[in-house]
Amino acid sequence: QSVLTQPPSVSAAPGQKVTISCSGRSSNIGNNYVSWYQQLPGTAPKLLIYDNNKRPSGIPDRFSGSKSGTSATLGITGLQTGDEADYHCGTWDSSLSAYVFGTGTKVTVL
Amino acid sequence: QVTLRESGPALVKPTETLTLTCTFSGFSLTTTGMFLTWIRQPPGKALEWLARIDWDDDKYYSTSLKTRLTISRDTSKNQVVLTMTNMDPVDTATYYCARNLVGITAFDIWGQGTMVTVSS
């Protein structure tokens, strides 16, 4: 049912970098800002990135966002065990007049 | 301090109507650019956006669920209510309300969520 496509899982060793892709279409990512959310086990999602690449106060610069065309990417550098979580992308879809989320990606720190 | 708290029944029977309330504090829903959104997450699955109500009382609904959803607000009580009719076991999920960054379509504050199970 998700409109945006993410890889089911990514993994890397502590200290390494991971990237998570989020693929959509022109009606959503192509013409609207993308946000990213981190969801630790058993908790509500937390805003990590908004407006494609901006970080709310308190979010470390290890987290970064970018967008190109109809795809967006979340990058996490200096991976820590505390980064093990599910990550979700989201954006407004102008054709649906609705917000759409990605399929979600589980990050595992090896 | 901005807080959101969802409340409602933990268990509903198939075909019943679910009513969830989001009680918020620390901001006003009448502030220009503000809106409140309901989002759900079935166990082990992705987030699903359900509905949104804006500072000017505009409303938006999930295309696939719009015939079953109604969102409303009571600004005097700082509450937003979501009703979902004809509940089915596939509607079993944690239901969240979330606030956006003013003027931005991104959710910066979330409630803790309320788990709703649909079963006879």
Side-chain angles (χ1 to χ4, degrees):
Chain A
Q1 201 163 358
S2 297
V3 174
L4 308 178
T5 302
Q6 298 178 234
S9 63
V10 297
S11 61
Q16 298 300 303
K17 175 181 178 179
V18 295
T19 60
I20 300 169
S21 60
C22 176
S23 178
R25 55 203 308 168
S26 60
S27 61
N28 43 64
I29 293 179
N31 284 284
N32 293 287
Y33 289 113
V34 177
S35 303
W36 289 91
Y37 305 87
Q38 176 194 60
Q39 188 175 26
L40 297 171
T43 69
K46 173 184 176 182
L47 181 63
L48 280 182
I49 298 288
Y50 68 96
D51 284 0
N52 301 334
N53 55 19
K54 297 176 183 174
R55 284 175 286 106
S57 174
I59 301 300
D61 59 8
R62 299 188 300 106
F63 296 91
S64 64
S66 64
K67 188 183 96 167
S68 178
T70 57
S71 291
T73 301
L74 174 71
I76 310 173
T77 59
L79 204 59
Q80 301 175 1
T81 55
D83 296 333
E84 283 204 336
D86 293 324
Y87 292 81
H88 310 272
C89 60
T91 186
W92 188 254
D93 190 301
S94 303
S95 293
L96 299 174
S97 290
Y99 196 86
V100 290
F101 283 105
T103 47
T105 299
K106 181 174 182 59
V107 169
T108 300
V109 181
L110 301 172
Chain B
Q1 183 187 3
V2 175
T3 63
L4 303 169
R5 187 182 77 251
E6 305 88 350
S7 58
L11 179 66
V12 297
K13 291 181 169 53
T15 76
E16 289 186 338
T17 294
L18 172 68
T19 299
L20 296 173
T21 301
C22 176
T23 303
F24 58 90
S25 63
F27 68 97
S28 172
L29 188 50
T30 58
T31 297
T32 298
M34 188 70 70
F35 51 85
L36 267 179
T37 296
W38 283 95
I39 294 156
R40 72 178 180 179
Q41 186 174 37
K45 296 190 176 181
L47 299 170
E48 181 182 13
W49 183 91
L50 298 177
R52 159 184 149 180
I53 188 164
D54 289 7
W55 77 97
D56 57 1
D57 208 32
D58 273 354
K59 304 174 179 73
Y60 300 86
Y61 294 98
S62 162
T63 303
S64 59
L65 293 169
K66 65 188 309 178
T67 60
R68 300 173 53 205
L69 294 174
T70 302
I71 192 168
S72 61
R73 68 183 190 177
D74 186 332
T75 53
S76 66
K77 293 183 179 178
N78 280 357
Q79 291 181 334
V80 170
V81 175
L82 181 75
T83 62
M84 181 180 291
T85 61
N86 194 25
M87 292 293 285
D88 183 272
V90 300
D91 297 313
T92 294
T94 297
Y95 288 75
Y96 298 99
C97 62
R99 186 200 80 159
N100 67 302
L101 282 167
V102 177
I104 294 173
T105 308
F107 312 113
D108 69 328
I109 304 293
W110 295 63
Q112 65 185 17
T114 185
M115 177 67 192
V116 177
T117 300
V118 184
S119 174
S120 55

